[in-house]
Amino acid sequence: MKQIAICPGSFDPITNGHLDIFERASRMFDELIVAVFHNPNKKPLFTMEERVALLAEATGHIPNIRIDSFSGLLNVYVREKNANIIVRGLRALSDFEYEFQRALLIKKIDPVIETVFMMTSSEYSFVSSSGIKELAKFGGVITDFVPSCVEREIMRRSAQI
């Protein structure tokens, strides 16, 4: 049976920390679906379509990744994709506390779905999408923290940040 995992997130923007998780998770599963989630509580820099396109460009070197987008309940989306595993990247203990509660809720709603937590590589443990946007807003260099396609698009619209 083909093992499909879902890695959901807003990815606004995608960082090298995200890419690290995608590359490593892709070696664990037959297919990894990176799913851009519409979060109504956030005001994104990039549209959902732009984030999907940037993810496709940044992950083009990983053969078993598919990029998608969704809104609604994650457990429903996971079932629609015939998956039963959610991959969540963690940077720090605070991430774990938040993600652990979410995983327990999903487990209660749908006991078949498992959540796998992956620690990001230490070189990216301090990198966050919000931090990237703030750094770019004030003219900081983001080259080491995001894929080149993301840097290009952030610099192109830096006045909007």
Side-chain angles (χ1 to χ4, degrees):
M1 185 167 137
K2 187 175 179 182
Q3 191 77 314
I4 301 170
I6 309 290
C7 188
S10 54
F11 307 117
D12 187 47
I14 179 179
T15 69
N16 288 341
H18 293 130
L19 203 53
D20 171 57
I21 295 294
F22 303 155
E23 289 169 347
R24 291 171 36 228
S26 73
R27 294 190 295 265
M28 297 171 63
F29 305 102
D30 297 314
E31 181 178 12
L32 180 66
I33 300 172
V34 176
V36 179
F37 171 68
H38 169 70
N39 186 339
N41 299 321
K42 292 185 177 180
K43 186 179 183 303
L45 174 62
F46 295 106
T47 67
M48 177 125 17
E49 295 77 20
E50 289 170 327
R51 286 179 275 161
V52 167
L54 287 169
L55 278 161
E57 186 174 347
T59 61
H61 64 287
I62 309 170
N64 62 329
I65 280 191
R66 183 163 40 117
I67 309 300
D68 197 13
S69 62
F70 77 103
S71 60
L73 294 173
L74 178 56
N75 64 302
V76 172
Y77 177 80
V78 169
R79 289 297 194 137
E80 286 174 356
K81 298 302 175 184
N82 296 314
N84 68 336
I85 298 168
I86 298 169
V87 174
R88 302 299 280 178
L90 303 175
R91 291 169 299 180
L93 186 58
S94 56
D95 287 348
F96 176 76
E97 291 175 12
Y98 176 75
E99 296 296 346
F100 183 67
Q101 289 179 353
R102 290 178 60 181
L104 288 175
L105 179 60
I106 287 178
K107 191 64 152 166
K108 179 69 175 172
I109 294 169
D110 195 333
V112 174
I113 297 175
E114 297 291 344
T115 300
V116 174
F117 296 112
M118 294 184 70
M119 295 302 303
T120 190
S121 296
S122 60
E123 63 192 289
Y124 305 119
S125 63
F126 60 90
V127 178
S128 68
S129 294
S130 58
I132 295 302
K133 288 187 273 194
E134 186 174 340
L135 189 59
K137 179 178 184 173
F138 292 105
V141 178
I142 60 172
T143 304
D144 293 339
F145 310 122
V146 295
S148 59
C149 61
V150 172
E151 180 183 24
R152 178 187 70 235
E153 289 304 310
I154 287 177
M155 293 295 95
R156 191 175 65 75
R157 62 175 67 190
S158 61
Q160 299 173 10
I161 300 175

